[in-house]
Amino acid sequence: MKHLKYFFLWFNLILVACIPQEDGPQQQIDFEFKAISNVAYGEHERQVYDIYLPANRNENTSTILLLHGGGWMEGNKSDMNPFKDFLRDQLPGYAVVNMNYRLADQNHSPYPMQLEDITSLISHLESNRDDYQIGEKLGFVGASAGGHLALLWSYTRDVNEQVQMVCSIVGPTNLLDEAYLNTQNSELKGMLDLFGADEEMLRAASPLFQLQDKAPPTILFYGGKDPLIPNSQGISLKERLEELQVIHEFHFYPNEGHGWIGLNLLDSSLKLKAFIEKNF
């Protein structure tokens, strides 16, 4: 599982240095930048988050939530620190929340446990909005299993219509995909078995089948040579987004796998930044 835990080399410090900064007038600081680590949103040791509050924030400041990968049963919020650094550097007006969630095992299915953790965290943010000086609007950036969770929560649990955009980077979308059900990859099969074999449950846990026309703007990134995520996962969701006329972008890198670096990384980063600025 090592390649899952460290599956994405996105948004490192070199990348941040490569993207030009935008100059603008200096604003008077009403609130200074503030970072708080390991804030508890529940009683379990995994139910904690880090929050990065920008200077000049107010009751309308939007928040971007980061969801790590790891096959639903591994990973840590620290894996998303490069994303956090990228967002803080390139989109400094947003609050950023980097969260842990309870990990799945043979006795604890990812669904709905991990969605419930996201709901609990958002409720905790809501109860602390006055202290944090942030608004209600949310965005998601998730990678791999975190991409799946970001899509699924945005499509099924956003009852207050807070989510303004969601980004999935190599995230699963269809747990009933024949390419999954017939996989010979024992590692992948072990991850999928966490959801059980009930077809109704697998459908409920698949963003593809839960997508509706009121879904928030969605941006997707997939690699054509990904050993874990079949091409059909991203393509099927793209086609469904088109059918429902949901605002979306789909970016496919034919020669990349479960993550990439170099020029394609820079290209993906610029596309994500532009999408957030346009839709959020």
Side-chain angles (χ1 to χ4, degrees):
M1 300 297 294
K2 182 177 180 180
H3 66 286
L4 276 175
K5 186 175 182 180
Y6 302 103
F7 65 92
F8 234 89
L9 297 176
W10 272 64
F11 305 112
N12 51 37
L13 295 177
I14 295 176
L15 168 65
V16 170
C18 289
I19 299 179
Q21 305 296 310
E22 296 180 0
D23 295 327
Q26 296 297 315
Q27 299 181 6
Q28 181 178 352
I29 297 177
D30 297 318
F31 290 91
E32 294 182 352
F33 168 78
K34 188 175 184 180
I36 312 173
S37 300
N38 294 317
V39 181
Y41 66 89
E43 297 182 357
H44 193 278
E45 64 180 1
R46 289 280 308 182
Q47 292 175 317
V48 295
Y49 66 90
D50 304 333
I51 186 167
Y52 303 87
L53 299 166
N56 306 311
R57 62 190 180 277
N58 56 50
E59 65 276 6
N60 295 316
T61 295
S62 300
T63 302
I64 299 176
L65 276 68
L66 304 180
L67 293 169
H68 69 78
W72 301 283
M73 56 183 175
E74 292 185 354
N76 190 277
K77 56 186 170 64
S78 61
D79 300 338
M80 298 296 284
N81 281 342
F83 286 86
K84 175 261 294 181
D85 293 337
F86 171 81
L87 293 171
R88 282 191 52 209
D89 186 88
Q90 294 296 312
L91 297 165
Y94 292 84
V96 178
V97 168
N98 193 6
M99 71 174 291
N100 273 348
Y101 48 83
R102 287 172 292 173
L103 299 177
D105 56 34
Q106 295 304 317
N107 298 315
H108 301 89
S109 174
Y111 180 83
M113 177 180 70
Q114 291 169 352
L115 292 186
E116 292 170 350
D117 279 0
I118 297 171
T119 299
S120 294
L121 180 143
I122 291 173
S123 295
H124 191 272
L125 292 178
E126 178 65 26
S127 66
N128 288 276
R129 277 206 309 123
D130 289 341
D131 290 337
Y132 288 156
Q133 278 293 297
I134 55 175
E136 296 181 349
K137 293 181 179 180
L138 302 172
F140 279 96
V141 176
S144 196
H148 163 262
L149 295 173
L151 292 171
L152 193 58
W153 197 94
S154 299
Y155 293 171
T156 65
R157 301 297 178 98
D158 184 24
V159 295
N160 295 322
E161 298 183 350
Q162 294 175 261
V163 180
Q164 307 299 300
M165 60 76 58
V166 56
C167 170
S168 173
I169 302 158
V170 298
T173 68
N174 178 11
L175 301 182
L176 288 171
D177 192 330
E178 290 296 325
Y180 269 169
L181 297 178
N182 299 324
T183 182
Q184 300 300 309
N185 184 322
S186 59
E187 185 177 34
L188 177 57
K189 181 173 176 54
M191 290 187 290
L192 296 173
D193 285 347
L194 295 169
F195 290 89
D198 182 77
E199 182 173 338
E200 183 176 347
M201 177 73 76
L202 293 173
R203 179 174 290 270
S206 296
L208 176 65
F209 300 116
Q210 303 307 315
L211 177 64
Q212 300 180 25
D213 58 3
K214 294 183 179 180
T218 300
I219 184 168
L220 307 171
F221 296 92
Y222 289 90
K225 296 183 178 180
D226 193 325
L228 294 172
I229 308 299
N231 293 345
S232 54
Q233 295 282 301
I235 293 171
S236 294
L237 185 59
K238 174 187 74 78
E239 292 174 347
R240 184 62 174 155
L241 288 162
E242 290 174 349
E243 180 182 348
L244 295 176
Q245 298 183 330
V246 175
I247 295 171
H248 69 282
E249 291 183 13
F250 175 76
H251 301 289
F252 187 73
Y253 299 86
N255 296 317
E256 299 291 0
H258 201 61
W260 43 91
I261 58 176
L263 291 178
N264 282 339
L265 169 59
L266 179 59
D267 179 75
S268 302
S269 307
L270 293 173
K271 285 179 167 61
L272 175 58
K273 179 186 178 185
F275 188 84
I276 293 173
E277 290 176 326
K278 181 179 179 180
N279 295 287
F280 194 5

